[in-house]
Amino acid sequence: MSWSGKASPRRCHLSCTWTREKAPREKANQPALRQLRQGPTDEAQMAAAAALARLEQKQPRARGPTSQDSIRNQVRKELRAEATVSGSLEVPGTNVVPEPREAGSTHLAVPGVYFTCPLTGATLRKDQRDARIKEAILSHFATDPVAASIMKIHTFNKDRDRVKLGVDTIAKYLDNIHLHPEEEKYQKIKLQNKVFQERINCLEGAHEFFEAIGFQKVMLPVADKEGPEEFYVLSEAVLAEPQSLERHREQLLAAEPVRATLHRQRRVFQPSPLASQFDLPGDFFNLTAEEVKREQRLRSDAVERLSVLRTKAMREKEEQRELRKYTYTLLRVRLPDGCLLQGTFYARERMAAVYGFVREALQSDWLPFELLALGGQKLSEDENLALNECGLVPSALLTFSWDMAVLEDVKAAGAKPDSSILKPELLSAIEMLS
């Protein structure tokens, strides 16, 4: 076989490779290189052709793209498209999760998550709230034992189903007394009664409630029993004013657990190029810093496998799982004058809460406005739309925009909104963002 015929692609590739391997010796041995350029001998050509023939027989034919290849390519296209739309070079689902910082770190966007005690108005750290709420309820016994005992029942007992069952049973006792004031049997409650033991005795605060509304513990004889048993018996003073029992019953049924409210930590900043930069403390995360790093490693290792197997629905489900890692979110709203309004929210709060927060800060709070996410997407003031469902966790920068149609109508009517967007008391405390 001669080299003068048409060479197959494999032969050309072998020849080029063979020539490249010899190239580094050019300077060391010029005569040998010139000899090589004259072409191989007939024997070498025949040996090379035979070797190539053997290789081609052993080499499996190149196969066309499989369905798995098609899926992989399609998913990659979708992921690149999603990354382009979001303005990120990272593949969606693999972007780096912000690492939580220690509360003492400098340049934190907010020092931590804080709460307000509804009973005392005190500002509480996240790790203080439960203990301080309990202290406030217990101290309330000195001034209003009925209200304190009701708060204790609803707050100290975490099983809401058990609380409801116990409260309904107590309400039934009081209802019977109110509806049948002459019936003596309804004016006393046997403490060893099975219903009382299973539904009421197990609730913290239940005994304090009975005593606060006028029941007294008394030992009474019981038919067919050798010794007396303990009862709650209504005092004569309360029997003379049965309407008070009805009032306490309504209080008990209408009460809710006492919970510390999230402190918005509202702040106003001057216009700043750092508006979209957020360094968050660990309070904003359900994971520790080490757990976040481990999650990133695992996600990075699995991205290729997931890109093949995930459908769009599966990716959306995974995104929702990611969103649940955040309990709180820090939002900034860029106003038309460039100033920034900042506040802390629960990740599952509704967009309506954000609109209300912004409206409270406006001078012209009667004018309608819109909030826009990154990219100009309008965020509806929808009661059913949660912040994490909008992707606004664990932090986000929003843009404020007046409703221009309404603004034009206002101007046409001869009125105009206040020159300053925010209320004066907020502007007086404006800060530099660092």
Side-chain angles (χ1 to χ4, degrees):
M1 182 177 292
S2 173
W3 285 92
S4 60
K6 290 185 178 179
S8 70
R10 288 189 60 84
R11 290 172 183 165
C12 291
H13 175 70
L14 182 62
S15 176
C16 291
T17 304
W18 178 73
T19 304
R20 283 197 302 269
E21 291 174 351
K22 298 295 183 179
R25 301 182 182 179
E26 182 175 349
K27 292 182 180 179
N29 194 351
Q30 292 290 345
L33 182 60
R34 283 194 295 272
Q35 183 179 358
L36 287 172
R37 286 175 179 168
Q38 294 174 0
T41 64
D42 291 343
E43 291 81 0
Q45 293 179 30
M46 294 176 65
L52 284 171
R54 287 194 299 274
L55 284 172
E56 287 176 350
Q57 289 176 357
K58 293 180 181 180
Q59 183 73 16
R61 289 184 178 274
R63 58 185 179 88
T66 65
S67 59
Q68 284 284 51
D69 293 331
S70 300
I71 294 171
R72 180 184 286 106
N73 292 334
Q74 180 61 32
V75 171
R76 281 174 177 165
K77 287 179 182 177
E78 290 182 17
L79 293 176
R80 289 193 191 101
E82 290 174 8
T84 303
V85 170
S86 65
S88 171
L89 297 178
E90 299 285 348
V91 175
T94 66
N95 54 303
V96 177
V97 177
E99 183 176 323
R101 302 291 186 89
E102 293 298 325
S105 301
T106 57
H107 304 305
L108 285 174
V110 67
V113 176
Y114 290 86
F115 298 83
T116 303
C117 176
L119 300 178
T120 64
T123 300
L124 312 173
R125 292 197 314 269
K126 183 179 176 182
D127 59 348
Q128 294 177 323
R129 53 182 174 173
D130 290 341
R132 296 288 290 274
I133 289 289
K134 286 185 176 182
E135 289 176 11
I137 291 173
L138 293 176
S139 65
H140 203 62
F141 273 97
T143 55
D144 191 343
V146 175
S149 61
I150 291 174
M151 288 188 286
K152 187 174 182 179
I153 290 171
H154 283 277
T155 307
F156 284 34
N157 301 285
K158 302 304 181 185
D159 189 332
R160 300 307 303 158
D161 292 334
R162 177 166 286 188
V163 170
K164 185 178 186 312
L165 182 61
V167 165
D168 289 344
T169 304
I170 295 173
K172 184 64 176 176
Y173 284 140
L174 301 183
D175 208 27
N176 285 335
I177 296 171
H178 177 71
L179 295 175
H180 310 282
E182 306 300 327
E183 294 279 352
E184 186 179 347
K185 66 178 181 179
Y186 292 124
Q187 298 169 14
K188 56 185 179 181
I189 303 169
K190 184 179 178 182
L191 269 64
Q192 294 304 313
N193 179 279
K194 183 179 180 182
V195 171
F196 186 92
Q197 286 293 317
E198 291 180 352
R199 301 183 184 182
I200 299 174
N201 190 59
C202 58
L203 293 180
E204 287 191 66
H207 288 282
E208 288 96 328
F209 175 75
F210 278 107
E211 292 170 6
I213 65 174
F215 281 90
Q216 300 170 341
K217 285 184 179 180
V218 179
M219 299 297 292
L220 297 176
V222 179
D224 301 326
K225 295 286 184 179
E226 291 185 3
E229 292 191 10
E230 196 169 29
F231 284 78
Y232 269 133
V233 178
L234 199 58
S235 67
E236 294 293 334
V238 176
L239 283 173
E241 298 180 7
Q243 66 274 13
S244 65
L245 292 180
E246 181 64 14
R247 186 173 65 253
H248 298 325
R249 173 183 173 278
E250 294 302 323
Q251 279 182 267
L252 180 65
L253 289 172
E256 294 287 340
V258 179
R259 298 284 183 256
T261 56
L262 182 64
H263 197 305
R264 295 291 185 210
Q265 300 185 77
R266 181 169 55 195
R267 299 170 72 183
V268 177
F269 297 103
Q270 295 178 6
S272 170
L274 304 176
S276 60
Q277 296 183 17
F278 296 86
D279 276 338
L280 300 176
D283 287 350
F284 278 73
F285 300 82
N286 283 333
L287 302 178
T288 64
E290 188 56 40
E291 287 171 331
V292 169
K293 291 178 183 177
R294 182 165 52 84
E295 285 277 331
Q296 292 288 0
R297 288 196 299 269
L298 293 174
R299 189 182 301 115
S300 177
D301 293 341
V303 64
E304 180 65 22
R305 176 175 55 82
L306 289 175
S307 69
V308 175
L309 299 178
R310 291 186 305 173
T311 64
K312 182 178 180 181
M314 292 169 67
R315 290 199 304 276
E316 289 175 351
K317 186 175 181 180
E318 181 181 325
E319 288 169 6
Q320 289 301 314
R321 215 166 32 241
E322 289 293 312
L323 295 178
R324 287 195 291 270
K325 291 179 180 176
Y326 309 110
T327 307
Y328 311 97
T329 184
L330 188 68
L331 300 182
R332 286 180 188 148
V333 179
R334 182 187 278 126
L335 301 167
D337 59 2
C339 292
L340 303 165
L341 177 65
Q342 176 177 290
T344 304
F345 298 82
Y346 285 108
R348 291 189 176 92
E349 275 193 85
R350 308 298 173 184
M351 276 303 306
V354 183
Y355 271 84
F357 170 76
V358 174
R359 190 172 286 111
E360 289 174 359
L362 301 177
Q363 281 265 69
S364 302
D365 57 0
W366 51 276
L367 276 175
F369 61 89
E370 294 174 335
L371 296 178
L372 310 177
L374 190 64
Q377 177 191 358
K378 291 183 180 180
L379 297 169
S380 171
E381 190 175 356
D382 189 341
E383 290 288 346
N384 297 319
L385 197 60
L387 301 182
N388 59 356
E389 293 171 352
C390 301
L392 304 179
V393 291
S395 59
L397 175 64
L398 308 179
T399 300
F400 178 101
S401 174
W402 291 115
D403 187 313
M404 297 310 297
V406 175
L407 202 58
E408 290 299 324
D409 290 342
V410 170
K411 291 179 179 178
K416 63 178 183 178
D418 299 305
S419 56
S420 176
I421 297 174
L422 295 175
K423 292 178 177 177
E425 59 267 28
L426 296 179
L427 289 174
S428 64
I430 197 167
E431 307 172 53
M432 289 283 293
L433 186 60
S434 59

